[in-house]
Amino acid sequence: MTQKKHPSLLGGAMIIAGTAIGAGMLANPTSTAGVWFIGSILALIYTWFCMTTSGLMILEANLHYPTGASFDTIVKDLLGKGWNLINGLSVAFVLYILTYAYITSGGGITQSLLNQFFRSPESAVEIGRTSGSLIFCVVLAVFVWFSTKAVDRFTTVLIAGMVVAFFLSTTGLLSSVKTEVLLNTVSSDEQQYLPYILTALPVCLVSFGFHGNVPSLVKYYNRDAQRVMRAIFIGTSLALVIYILWQLAIQGNLPRSEFAPVIEKGGDVSALLEALHKYIKTDYIAIILNFFAYMAIASSFLGVTLGLFDYIADLLKFDDSLLGRTKTTIVTFIPPLLLSLQFPYGFVIAIGYAGLAATIWAAIVPALLVRASRKKFPMADYKVYGGSMMIGFIILFGLLNIIAQVGINLGWLSSFTG
């Protein structure tokens, strides 16, 4: 009798890390320039703890329901139809908007890479943005349609490539970090940091978004709570370490006062590299960062769409058969793909509101789910640490992010401009 092989812990951790570590991390140093290095590290650690804990709260609530149950089933039963509607709109909005964003970004890079590869003096073939988006979406969608295990394996390869590219691109930067720049003692300009702490939080929150994958991992690990918990901790911790190293690499070389032109261009990577070029040679870094960004976009696309796939299957009650998974794939990928083909550059405004929706779904709702599930199922095998105090702590984290996001959009909070 052969023993059933369990899915690897590394695979689940890579799904979590791959979802969290998106191309958006490249803008983190710019978005947290107001609080600078020490403030940004504190904000990242605080957000990492809260987002990891809220993910574990989803795990605790999820374990009381049949394998395959996702947010629609759990929230409706524990919090009622009203909260389920709010949460459902938040989940769908965030995951669809992110899928759309990754298709547009990934399609653009795919178009550029393929045109470079096939370009020759004899050939005038030019692949358009539409073809780039279609190729990017269809190829990766096949992995999601096939199985969670396929996503696990391919994401592990992408994360490995990301780590190599990341360390190749940051080695030169890390070796040239200057303490006076890192601690901002070289600047005679503004030395205030505290007024910008709230504006840094929403960016950090989006950097640790993985919550749509928790039901997928419960199913993947056959309801083994300890393996899911460890996968979440390893995945989010890897993301935290990479973010801290990236902050160190950028904010240790580029003075705080030099971020003005980068902020004006919304944290664009090319603008950041141009600003860095005054202080360190960045030609080779730009090439490697393009590969890093592509792998980051692809891994995030896989993680986000896997969560959306399982949410859609639960919402519309599609089964796990070949036909069922095909129907789920169509509903998951066709709407954001069509939107991307119609509006290939239009996601910037919508993505700004994704953070607000993510706060409801990834912080407020998980805390409320745990409070309700402990009343309904007092004899749970798995419980998140911290008791009732932790529930309040996570709700406070969510409220701070909502205040920050509303304050930023309405101009109530100070914004660092360099």
Side-chain angles (χ1 to χ4, degrees):
M1 185 176 177
T2 58
Q3 190 176 7
K4 187 178 179 181
K5 188 177 180 181
H6 296 289
S8 73
L9 185 61
L10 178 65
M14 291 303 101
I15 289 174
I16 295 295
T19 306
I21 305 171
M25 69 156 277
L26 299 171
N28 270 357
T30 306
S31 303
T32 59
V35 293
W36 206 231
F37 181 68
I38 294 175
S40 66
I41 298 308
L42 292 174
L44 282 168
I45 292 173
Y46 170 58
T47 304
W48 164 79
F49 177 78
C50 291
M51 291 291 276
T52 300
T53 303
S54 66
L56 295 177
M57 287 176 168
I58 295 173
L59 168 62
E60 180 181 332
N62 202 335
L63 289 169
H64 297 297
Y65 294 86
T67 302
S70 191
F71 292 93
D72 182 67
T73 298
I74 300 165
V75 178
K76 186 187 296 179
D77 185 59
L78 289 176
L79 302 180
K81 292 182 178 179
W83 269 109
N84 188 48
L85 178 62
I86 294 170
N87 187 72
L89 290 173
S90 300
V91 171
F93 180 75
V94 172
L95 296 183
Y96 270 123
I97 283 295
L98 289 177
T99 302
Y100 162 54
Y102 290 136
I103 291 174
T104 57
S105 301
I109 299 176
T110 301
Q111 173 196 8
S112 176
L113 288 174
L114 289 177
N115 282 333
Q116 287 179 24
F117 183 76
F118 290 115
R119 186 177 292 130
S120 68
E122 297 81 24
S123 174
V125 175
E126 187 81 10
I127 293 173
R129 184 63 173 262
T130 297
S131 299
S133 296
L134 279 169
I135 292 167
F136 177 84
C137 181
V138 171
V139 170
L140 294 181
V142 169
F143 287 91
V144 179
W145 167 80
F146 195 74
S147 69
T148 302
K149 189 171 185 177
V151 174
D152 155 359
R153 296 293 167 83
F154 192 44
T155 303
T156 301
V157 173
L158 289 171
I159 291 286
M162 280 171 58
V163 169
V164 171
F166 177 80
F167 282 106
L168 284 175
S169 62
T170 56
T171 298
L173 293 173
L174 289 171
S175 64
S176 62
V177 166
K178 302 171 188 67
T179 305
E180 62 271 20
V181 175
L182 199 63
L183 300 179
N184 196 34
T185 58
V186 294
S187 176
S188 58
D189 296 334
E190 182 190 1
Q191 294 291 325
Q192 293 187 75
Y193 306 99
L194 200 56
Y196 307 112
I197 188 66
L198 275 181
T199 59
L201 286 181
V203 177
C204 295
L205 181 145
V206 174
S207 299
F208 287 101
F210 65 90
H211 297 64
N213 296 126
V214 176
S216 304
L217 289 186
V218 170
K219 180 180 177 181
Y220 187 47
Y221 287 119
N222 195 26
R223 310 178 65 82
D224 187 336
Q226 294 302 314
R227 288 183 77 81
V228 177
M229 180 189 73
R230 287 196 288 270
I232 290 172
F233 263 113
I234 294 170
T236 57
S237 297
L238 176 61
L240 177 64
V241 169
I242 287 179
Y243 293 157
I244 290 175
L245 288 174
W246 182 241
Q247 297 287 116
L248 179 65
I250 301 302
Q251 294 182 348
N253 284 284
L254 185 63
R256 187 173 183 243
S257 57
E258 296 290 322
F259 268 86
V262 188
I263 292 170
E264 283 177 13
K265 294 184 179 179
D268 182 68
V269 178
S270 59
L272 180 64
L273 291 172
E274 187 179 335
L276 270 172
H277 193 63
K278 298 177 186 176
Y279 301 91
I280 186 172
K281 185 174 176 61
T282 59
D283 295 345
Y284 78 97
I285 295 174
I287 297 170
I288 299 171
L289 278 180
N290 276 330
F291 282 101
F292 172 83
Y294 195 45
M295 288 182 284
I297 290 167
S299 64
S300 291
F301 176 87
L302 287 170
V304 165
T305 54
L306 178 63
L308 179 59
F309 184 95
D310 286 335
Y311 175 74
I312 293 296
D314 179 51
L315 177 67
L316 301 180
K317 308 305 177 193
F318 292 149
D319 60 29
D320 210 31
S321 65
L322 181 63
L323 177 61
R325 291 187 71 85
T326 301
K327 289 190 289 187
T328 307
T329 301
I330 291 170
V331 178
T332 300
F333 292 101
I334 294 300
L337 176 59
L338 292 177
L339 195 63
S340 175
L341 299 180
Q342 185 67 32
F343 305 104
Y345 306 101
F347 74 91
V348 175
I349 296 174
I351 205 77
Y353 294 96
L356 183 60
T359 304
I360 296 169
W361 158 49
I364 304 292
V365 167
L368 296 178
L369 284 176
V370 162
R371 188 176 65 176
S373 71
R374 288 177 184 175
K375 290 179 181 178
K376 186 168 184 175
F377 309 103
M379 302 301 291
D381 293 328
Y382 172 81
K383 283 191 177 182
V384 180
Y385 45 79
S388 299
M389 187 189 75
M390 190 57 67
I391 294 173
F393 188 77
I394 300 303
I395 289 175
L396 176 62
F397 167 74
L399 292 175
L400 285 174
N401 272 275
I402 290 173
I403 291 168
Q405 287 158 6
V406 172
I408 291 168
N409 290 330
L410 296 180
W412 294 346
L413 296 177
S414 301
S415 295
F416 181 73
T417 55

